[in-house]
Protein backbone atom coordinates (compact mmCIF):
# COMPACT_ATOMS: atom_id res chain seq x y z
CA UNK A 1 0.00 0.00 0.00
CA UNK A 2 1.43 3.37 -1.03
CA UNK A 3 0.32 6.53 0.76
CA UNK A 4 0.34 10.12 -0.44
CA UNK A 5 0.02 12.70 2.34
CA UNK A 6 -0.78 16.38 1.86
CA UNK A 7 1.29 18.82 3.96
CA UNK A 8 -0.14 22.33 3.87
CA UNK A 9 2.15 25.35 3.67
CA UNK A 10 0.71 28.07 5.92
CA UNK A 11 2.56 31.34 5.43
CA UNK A 12 5.86 29.56 4.77
CA UNK A 13 5.51 27.10 7.67
CA UNK A 14 4.11 23.62 8.15
CA UNK A 15 1.44 23.81 10.85
CA UNK A 16 1.46 21.15 13.57
CA UNK A 17 -1.56 19.49 11.92
CA UNK A 18 0.44 18.96 8.68
CA UNK A 19 3.38 17.40 10.55
CA UNK A 20 0.94 15.17 12.41
CA UNK A 21 -0.66 14.03 9.13
CA UNK A 22 2.81 13.17 7.75
CA UNK A 23 3.75 11.31 10.99
CA UNK A 24 0.48 9.36 10.80
CA UNK A 25 0.82 8.51 7.10
CA UNK A 26 4.47 7.45 7.49
CA UNK A 27 3.70 5.18 10.45
CA UNK A 28 0.72 3.68 8.62
CA UNK A 29 2.80 3.01 5.48
CA UNK A 30 5.56 1.44 7.62
CA UNK A 31 3.06 -0.82 9.40
CA UNK A 32 1.98 -2.33 6.06
CA UNK A 33 5.38 -2.29 4.33
CA UNK A 34 4.34 0.48 1.91
CA UNK A 35 5.86 3.81 0.91
CA UNK A 36 4.89 7.29 2.04
CA UNK A 37 5.22 10.31 -0.27
CA UNK A 38 4.36 13.85 0.86
CA UNK A 39 3.10 16.60 -1.45
CA UNK A 40 3.46 20.27 -0.57
CA UNK A 41 3.46 23.66 -2.28
CA UNK A 42 4.79 27.21 -2.14
CA UNK A 43 8.02 28.68 -0.82
CA UNK A 44 9.13 26.38 2.01
CA UNK A 45 11.94 24.00 2.95
CA UNK A 46 10.06 20.83 1.99
CA UNK A 47 12.92 18.46 2.93
CA UNK A 48 12.04 18.78 6.65
CA UNK A 49 8.99 16.59 6.01
CA UNK A 50 11.42 13.65 5.86
CA UNK A 51 12.00 14.20 9.59
CA UNK A 52 8.46 12.93 10.14
CA UNK A 53 9.03 9.67 8.34
CA UNK A 54 8.05 10.10 4.68
CA UNK A 55 10.38 8.59 2.05
CA UNK A 56 9.95 11.21 -0.64
CA UNK A 57 8.58 14.74 -1.05
CA UNK A 58 6.96 16.22 -4.18
CA UNK A 59 6.98 20.02 -4.26
CA UNK A 60 5.02 22.43 -6.45
CA UNK A 61 6.91 25.57 -5.46
CA UNK A 62 5.00 27.93 -7.77
CA UNK A 63 1.66 27.42 -5.98
CA UNK A 64 1.44 29.70 -2.92
CA UNK A 65 -1.84 29.78 -0.95
CA UNK A 66 -4.21 27.24 -2.50
CA UNK A 67 -7.98 26.77 -2.33
CA UNK A 68 -9.82 23.44 -2.05
CA UNK A 69 -10.13 23.01 -5.82
CA UNK A 70 -6.42 23.56 -6.39
CA UNK A 71 -5.42 21.24 -3.55
CA UNK A 72 -7.74 18.58 -4.99
CA UNK A 73 -6.04 18.79 -8.40
CA UNK A 74 -2.56 18.87 -6.85
CA UNK A 75 -3.13 15.93 -4.52
CA UNK A 76 -4.74 13.67 -7.12
CA UNK A 77 -1.92 14.36 -9.61
CA UNK A 78 0.68 13.62 -6.91
CA UNK A 79 -1.13 10.41 -5.89
CA UNK A 80 -1.02 9.24 -9.49
CA UNK A 81 2.65 10.18 -9.84
CA UNK A 82 3.55 8.23 -6.68
CA UNK A 83 1.28 5.26 -7.52
CA UNK A 84 -0.56 5.75 -4.23
CA UNK A 85 -3.85 4.06 -3.47
CA UNK A 86 -4.34 5.97 -0.20
CA UNK A 87 -4.42 9.71 0.46
CA UNK A 88 -4.04 11.23 3.94
CA UNK A 89 -4.82 14.82 4.92
CA UNK A 90 -5.27 16.58 8.24
CA UNK A 91 -8.86 16.97 9.47
CA UNK A 92 -8.32 20.73 9.68
CA UNK A 93 -10.11 23.45 7.72
CA UNK A 94 -8.12 22.79 4.54
CA UNK A 95 -8.39 19.01 4.80
CA UNK A 96 -12.13 19.17 5.46
CA UNK A 97 -12.54 21.27 2.34
CA UNK A 98 -10.34 19.18 0.03
CA UNK A 99 -10.82 15.57 1.21
CA UNK A 100 -14.46 15.08 0.11
CA UNK A 101 -13.69 16.58 -3.33
CA UNK A 102 -10.68 14.29 -3.69
CA UNK A 103 -12.74 11.24 -2.71
CA UNK A 104 -15.43 12.04 -5.30
CA UNK A 105 -12.99 12.78 -8.14
CA UNK A 106 -10.78 9.82 -7.27
CA UNK A 107 -13.71 7.42 -6.78
CA UNK A 108 -12.43 6.56 -3.29
CA UNK A 109 -14.00 5.67 0.05
CA UNK A 110 -13.43 8.32 2.70
CA UNK A 111 -13.16 8.28 6.49
CA UNK A 112 -12.83 11.66 8.17
CA UNK A 113 -11.27 12.28 11.57
CA UNK A 114 -9.28 9.06 12.11
CA UNK A 115 -7.91 8.78 15.64
CA UNK A 116 -5.44 5.89 15.25
CA UNK A 117 -3.34 4.10 12.65
CA UNK A 118 -5.79 1.81 10.81
CA UNK A 119 -5.61 -1.96 11.17
CA UNK A 120 -6.18 -3.56 7.80
CA UNK A 121 -9.08 -1.69 6.25
CA UNK A 122 -10.60 -0.65 9.57
CA UNK A 123 -10.31 2.99 10.60
CA UNK A 124 -11.19 4.21 14.10
CA UNK A 125 -12.96 7.57 14.55
CA UNK A 126 -14.96 9.37 17.21
CA UNK A 127 -18.72 9.69 16.86
CA UNK A 128 -21.49 11.30 18.94
CA UNK A 129 -19.19 14.16 20.03
CA UNK A 130 -16.53 11.74 21.22
CA UNK A 131 -18.87 9.64 23.39
CA UNK A 132 -18.41 6.55 21.19
CA UNK A 133 -15.82 5.13 18.81
CA UNK A 134 -16.78 3.85 15.36
CA UNK A 135 -14.74 1.21 13.52
CA UNK A 136 -15.26 1.97 9.84
CA UNK A 137 -14.38 -0.50 7.12
CA UNK A 138 -13.24 0.92 3.79
CA UNK A 139 -14.23 -1.43 1.00
CA UNK A 140 -13.08 0.59 -2.01
CA UNK A 141 -9.75 0.04 -3.75
CA UNK A 142 -8.71 3.66 -3.16
CA UNK A 143 -9.13 5.44 0.15
CA UNK A 144 -8.97 8.94 1.59
CA UNK A 145 -8.44 9.39 5.33
CA UNK A 146 -8.27 12.63 7.33
CA UNK A 147 -6.48 12.64 10.70
CA UNK A 148 -8.09 14.29 13.73
CA UNK A 149 -5.67 16.96 15.04
CA UNK A 150 -3.86 15.97 18.27
CA UNK A 151 -5.11 12.38 18.05
CA UNK A 152 -1.85 10.79 16.86
CA UNK A 153 0.73 13.47 17.60
CA UNK A 154 3.84 14.67 15.81
CA UNK A 155 6.64 12.07 15.71
CA UNK A 156 10.06 13.11 14.44
CA UNK A 157 11.36 9.67 13.51
CA UNK A 158 13.29 10.29 10.29
CA UNK A 159 15.74 12.64 8.64
CA UNK A 160 15.40 15.32 5.92
CA UNK A 161 14.69 13.60 2.61
CA UNK A 162 15.08 14.32 -1.08
CA UNK A 163 12.63 16.79 -2.61
CA UNK A 164 11.48 16.42 -6.21
CA UNK A 165 10.10 19.43 -8.07
CA UNK A 166 6.57 18.59 -9.18
CA UNK A 167 4.77 20.30 -12.05
CA UNK A 168 1.05 20.10 -12.62
CA UNK A 169 -1.43 22.67 -13.88
CA UNK A 170 -4.10 23.48 -11.32
CA UNK A 171 -7.30 25.45 -11.96
CA UNK A 172 -7.40 29.16 -11.09
CA UNK A 173 -8.31 29.83 -7.46
CA UNK A 174 -11.98 30.63 -6.89
CA UNK A 175 -11.33 31.67 -3.29
CA UNK A 176 -8.21 33.48 -2.13
CA UNK A 177 -7.22 33.85 1.52
CA UNK A 178 -5.91 37.41 1.77
CA UNK A 179 -4.64 37.31 5.32
CA UNK A 180 -4.63 34.94 8.28
CA UNK A 181 -4.57 36.87 11.54
CA UNK A 182 -4.15 35.03 14.83
CA UNK A 183 -6.81 36.14 17.28
CA UNK A 184 -5.10 34.65 20.31
CA UNK A 185 -3.23 37.32 22.26
CA UNK A 186 -0.25 35.08 22.87
CA UNK A 187 -0.23 33.87 19.29
CA UNK A 188 -1.14 30.25 20.11
CA UNK A 189 -4.08 29.17 17.93
CA UNK A 190 -6.51 27.28 20.17
CA UNK A 191 -6.87 24.16 17.96
CA UNK A 192 -3.06 23.78 17.89
CA UNK A 193 -2.35 24.54 21.55
CA UNK A 194 -0.68 21.80 23.62
CA UNK A 195 -1.99 23.33 26.84
CA UNK A 196 -5.21 25.24 27.42
CA UNK A 197 -6.45 27.13 30.49
CA UNK A 198 -10.21 27.54 30.20
CA UNK A 199 -12.72 29.27 32.47
CA UNK A 200 -16.46 29.55 32.89
CA UNK A 201 -19.16 31.45 34.65
CA UNK A 202 -17.58 30.60 38.00
CA UNK A 203 -15.16 33.48 37.34
CA UNK A 204 -18.07 35.89 38.06
CA UNK A 205 -17.07 38.57 35.52
CA UNK A 206 -14.59 39.57 32.79
CA UNK A 207 -12.60 41.72 35.23
CA UNK A 208 -11.44 38.51 36.95
CA UNK A 209 -9.78 36.94 33.89
CA UNK A 210 -6.36 38.36 34.80
CA UNK A 211 -5.50 35.25 36.84
CA UNK A 212 -6.61 32.94 34.00
CA UNK A 213 -4.40 34.81 31.52
CA UNK A 214 -1.51 34.86 33.97
CA UNK A 215 -1.72 31.12 34.60
CA UNK A 216 -1.90 30.50 30.84
CA UNK A 217 1.16 32.70 30.31
CA UNK A 218 3.21 30.88 32.96
CA UNK A 219 2.26 27.50 31.46
CA UNK A 220 2.70 28.59 27.82
CA UNK A 221 -0.97 27.78 27.27
CA UNK A 222 -3.80 29.23 25.17
CA UNK A 223 -6.97 30.51 26.87
CA UNK A 224 -10.50 29.21 26.24
CA UNK A 225 -13.95 29.58 27.80
CA UNK A 226 -17.41 28.05 28.12
CA UNK A 227 -20.18 29.18 25.79
CA UNK A 228 -22.18 31.42 28.19
CA UNK A 229 -19.00 33.34 28.93
CA UNK A 230 -18.55 34.24 25.26
CA UNK A 231 -22.32 34.70 24.73
CA UNK A 232 -22.45 37.40 27.41
CA UNK A 233 -19.34 39.04 26.02
CA UNK A 234 -16.90 38.33 28.86
CA UNK A 235 -14.56 36.68 26.37
CA UNK A 236 -14.24 36.69 22.55
CA UNK A 237 -16.17 34.07 20.58
CA UNK A 238 -13.05 32.47 19.16
CA UNK A 239 -12.29 31.15 22.68
CA UNK A 240 -15.60 29.27 23.00
CA UNK A 241 -15.04 25.51 23.14
CA UNK A 242 -17.64 22.76 23.05
CA UNK A 243 -20.27 21.24 20.83
CA UNK A 244 -21.15 24.57 19.24
CA UNK A 245 -17.64 26.04 19.53
CA UNK A 246 -14.18 24.75 18.73
CA UNK A 247 -13.36 21.10 19.47
CA UNK A 248 -9.87 20.79 20.92
CA UNK A 249 -7.63 17.90 22.00
CA UNK A 250 -4.71 19.47 23.91
CA UNK A 251 -2.31 17.48 26.07
CA UNK A 252 -3.45 19.49 29.11
CA UNK A 253 -6.87 21.11 29.63
CA UNK A 254 -7.40 23.06 32.86
CA UNK A 255 -11.06 23.95 33.46
CA UNK A 256 -11.68 26.65 36.06
CA UNK A 257 -15.23 27.36 37.30
CA UNK A 258 -16.85 25.33 34.51
CA UNK A 259 -19.67 22.94 35.47
CA UNK A 260 -18.88 20.32 32.80
CA UNK A 261 -22.18 20.26 30.89
CA UNK A 262 -22.32 17.61 28.17
CA UNK A 263 -22.19 20.28 25.44
CA UNK A 264 -18.94 21.66 26.90
CA UNK A 265 -17.40 18.20 27.33
CA UNK A 266 -18.18 17.39 23.69
CA UNK A 267 -15.45 19.82 22.62
CA UNK A 268 -12.77 18.97 25.19
CA UNK A 269 -13.14 15.32 26.21
CA UNK A 270 -10.42 14.24 23.78
CA UNK A 271 -7.83 16.12 25.88
CA UNK A 272 -5.03 13.88 27.18
CA UNK A 273 -5.12 15.22 30.76
CA UNK A 274 -8.05 17.16 32.23
CA UNK A 275 -7.66 19.18 35.44
CA UNK A 276 -10.85 20.56 36.98
CA UNK A 277 -11.00 23.35 39.56
CA UNK A 278 -14.49 23.85 40.96
CA UNK A 279 -15.84 24.79 44.38
CA UNK A 280 -18.75 22.35 44.02
CA UNK A 281 -17.62 18.75 44.70
CA UNK A 282 -20.73 17.55 42.83
CA UNK A 283 -19.84 19.44 39.60
CA UNK A 284 -20.26 16.96 36.70
CA UNK A 285 -16.85 17.91 35.27
CA UNK A 286 -15.10 15.94 38.04
CA UNK A 287 -16.36 12.70 36.44
CA UNK A 288 -14.33 13.50 33.31
CA UNK A 289 -11.27 14.80 35.23
CA UNK A 290 -7.88 13.13 35.61
CA UNK A 291 -7.11 15.53 38.46
CA UNK A 292 -9.66 17.53 40.42
CA UNK A 293 -9.27 20.37 42.91
CA UNK A 294 -12.34 21.16 45.00
CA UNK A 295 -11.84 24.80 45.92
CA UNK A 296 -12.47 28.43 45.20
CA UNK A 297 -10.84 29.48 41.90
CA UNK A 298 -9.79 32.78 43.45
CA UNK A 299 -7.70 30.91 46.03
CA UNK A 300 -6.52 27.94 43.93
CA UNK A 301 -5.47 29.70 40.71
CA UNK A 302 -3.11 32.24 42.40
CA UNK A 303 -1.39 29.30 44.14
CA UNK A 304 -0.96 27.51 40.80
CA UNK A 305 0.50 30.72 39.31
CA UNK A 306 2.97 31.00 42.20
CA UNK A 307 3.95 27.32 41.78
CA UNK A 308 4.37 27.71 37.99
CA UNK A 309 6.49 30.84 38.50
CA UNK A 310 8.68 29.05 41.03
CA UNK A 311 9.08 26.11 38.64
CA UNK A 312 9.85 28.37 35.65
CA UNK A 313 12.51 30.17 37.73
CA UNK A 314 14.42 26.88 38.10
CA UNK A 315 14.66 26.34 34.32
C1 LIG B 1 -27.64 23.30 22.07
C2 LIG B 1 -26.65 23.73 23.11
C3 LIG B 1 -25.32 23.84 22.77
C4 LIG B 1 -24.37 24.24 23.71
N1 LIG B 1 -23.06 24.33 23.36
C5 LIG B 1 -22.14 24.64 24.29
C6 LIG B 1 -20.75 24.68 23.97
O1 LIG B 1 -20.34 24.48 22.83
N2 LIG B 1 -19.87 24.97 24.97
C7 LIG B 1 -20.26 25.22 26.26
O2 LIG B 1 -19.39 25.48 27.11
N3 LIG B 1 -21.58 25.20 26.58
C8 LIG B 1 -22.52 24.92 25.65
N4 LIG B 1 -23.83 24.92 25.99
C9 LIG B 1 -24.19 25.37 27.32
C10 LIG B 1 -24.02 24.29 28.40
O3 LIG B 1 -25.19 23.49 28.45
C11 LIG B 1 -23.80 24.92 29.78
O4 LIG B 1 -24.90 25.76 30.08
C12 LIG B 1 -22.52 25.73 29.87
O5 LIG B 1 -21.41 24.95 29.44
C13 LIG B 1 -22.28 26.15 31.32
O6 LIG B 1 -21.22 27.05 31.37
P1 LIG B 1 -20.38 27.21 32.72
O7 LIG B 1 -19.96 25.89 33.18
O8 LIG B 1 -19.37 28.26 32.48
O9 LIG B 1 -21.46 27.88 33.72
P2 LIG B 1 -22.29 27.27 34.91
O10 LIG B 1 -23.11 26.11 34.48
O11 LIG B 1 -23.00 28.41 35.52
O12 LIG B 1 -21.21 26.69 35.90
C14 LIG B 1 -20.32 27.49 36.65
C15 LIG B 1 -19.50 26.56 37.50
O13 LIG B 1 -18.56 27.33 38.22
C16 LIG B 1 -18.47 26.82 39.55
N5 LIG B 1 -18.04 27.94 40.41
C17 LIG B 1 -18.74 29.04 40.78
N6 LIG B 1 -17.97 29.85 41.54
C18 LIG B 1 -16.74 29.26 41.62
C19 LIG B 1 -15.53 29.62 42.26
N7 LIG B 1 -15.41 30.76 42.92
N8 LIG B 1 -14.49 28.78 42.15
C20 LIG B 1 -14.60 27.61 41.47
N9 LIG B 1 -15.74 27.21 40.85
C21 LIG B 1 -16.79 28.03 40.91
C22 LIG B 1 -19.87 26.32 39.87
O14 LIG B 1 -19.82 25.33 40.90
C23 LIG B 1 -20.30 25.75 38.51
O15 LIG B 1 -19.97 24.38 38.42
C24 LIG B 1 -24.79 24.53 25.05
C25 LIG B 1 -26.12 24.39 25.38
C26 LIG B 1 -27.04 24.00 24.44
C27 LIG B 1 -28.49 23.84 24.85
Amino acid sequence: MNILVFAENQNGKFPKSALEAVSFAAAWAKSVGGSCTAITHGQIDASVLGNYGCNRVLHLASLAAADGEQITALVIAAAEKSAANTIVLSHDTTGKSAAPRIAVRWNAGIVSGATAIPHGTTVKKNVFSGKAIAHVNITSEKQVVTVLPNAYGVHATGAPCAVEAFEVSVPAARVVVKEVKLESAEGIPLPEADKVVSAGRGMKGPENWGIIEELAKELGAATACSRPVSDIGWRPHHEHVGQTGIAIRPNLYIAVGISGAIQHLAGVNGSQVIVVINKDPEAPFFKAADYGIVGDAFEVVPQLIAAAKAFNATK
Side-chain angles (χ1 to χ4, degrees):
M1 185 176 102
N2 295 331
I3 300 181
L4 187 275
V5 54
F6 173 67
E8 186 181 18
N9 170 351
Q10 265 182 17
N11 301 324
K13 286 193 184 141
F14 292 116
K16 186 179 157 199
S17 55
L19 302 181
E20 186 171 23
V22 175
S23 303
F24 179 99
W28 187 9
K30 197 170 169 198
S31 74
V32 292
S35 73
C36 175
T37 302
I39 174 72
T40 191
H41 60 97
Q43 294 307 307
I44 198 159
D45 175 8
S47 68
V48 299
L49 294 175
N51 293 339
Y52 305 93
C54 60
N55 319 106
R56 177 187 183 201
V57 178
L58 302 176
H59 186 199
L60 176 57
S62 58
L63 182 68
D67 74 358
E69 281 291 319
Q70 293 177 312
I71 291 169
T72 301
L74 173 66
V75 168
I76 290 177
E80 275 156 21
K81 162 102 178 164
S82 57
N85 62 348
T86 300
I87 292 174
V88 170
L89 303 97
S90 172
H91 194 62
D92 56 9
T93 312
T94 306
K96 283 183 206 168
S97 151
R101 299 172 206 239
I102 294 170
V104 170
R105 303 257 174 91
W106 212 40
N107 196 20
I110 178 169
V111 178
S112 49
T115 54
I117 303 290
H119 285 291
T121 55
T122 305
V123 188
K124 252 166 78 169
K125 63 173 282 182
N126 292 342
V127 288
F128 304 128
S129 300
K131 292 200 92 54
I133 296 168
H135 298 254
V136 186
N137 229 355
I138 303 187
T139 54
S140 55
E141 197 190 311
K142 294 174 181 169
Q143 48 192 335
V144 176
V145 173
T146 62
V147 185
L148 194 67
N150 269 356
Y152 181 70
V154 174
H155 301 274
T157 53
C161 67
V163 178
E164 285 172 43
F166 185 58
E167 286 306 325
V168 61
S169 80
V170 296
R174 284 196 243 184
V175 181
V176 177
V177 178
K178 287 178 75 179
E179 188 187 9
V180 177
K181 217 165 120 193
L182 291 179
E183 300 227 43
S184 157
E186 293 302 318
I188 306 170
L190 197 45
E192 288 198 9
D194 258 352
K195 295 171 225 149
V196 173
V197 179
S198 185
R201 240 175 351 201
M203 292 308 293
K204 318 282 187 243
E207 67 282 5
N208 295 326
W209 243 263
I211 53 172
I212 299 299
E213 286 171 341
E214 198 177 350
L215 180 59
K217 188 167 162 234
E218 290 303 325
L219 298 177
T223 49
C225 68
S226 65
R227 173 172 156 174
V229 159
S230 66
D231 281 351
I232 47 185
W234 292 359
R235 296 297 291 178
H237 275 290
H238 64 79
E239 284 196 2
H240 156 202
V241 289
Q243 184 183 320
T244 46
I246 303 176
I248 55 171
R249 303 171 62 83
N251 289 328
L252 175 66
Y253 184 74
I254 302 181
V256 185
I258 301 177
S259 57
I262 190 164
Q263 297 89 353
H264 184 86
L265 289 175
V268 303
N269 59 7
S271 308
Q272 301 296 318
V273 175
I274 296 179
V275 179
V276 170
I277 301 164
N278 198 302
K279 69 176 186 184
D280 174 9
E282 301 297 321
F285 220 148
F286 283 121
K287 291 204 180 93
D290 296 287
Y291 300 93
I293 303 174
V294 179
D296 189 322
F298 299 98
E299 289 168 17
V300 175
V301 175
Q303 290 181 52
L304 289 179
I305 294 170
K309 278 189 172 156
F311 177 76
N312 288 341
T314 65
K315 282 192 204 165

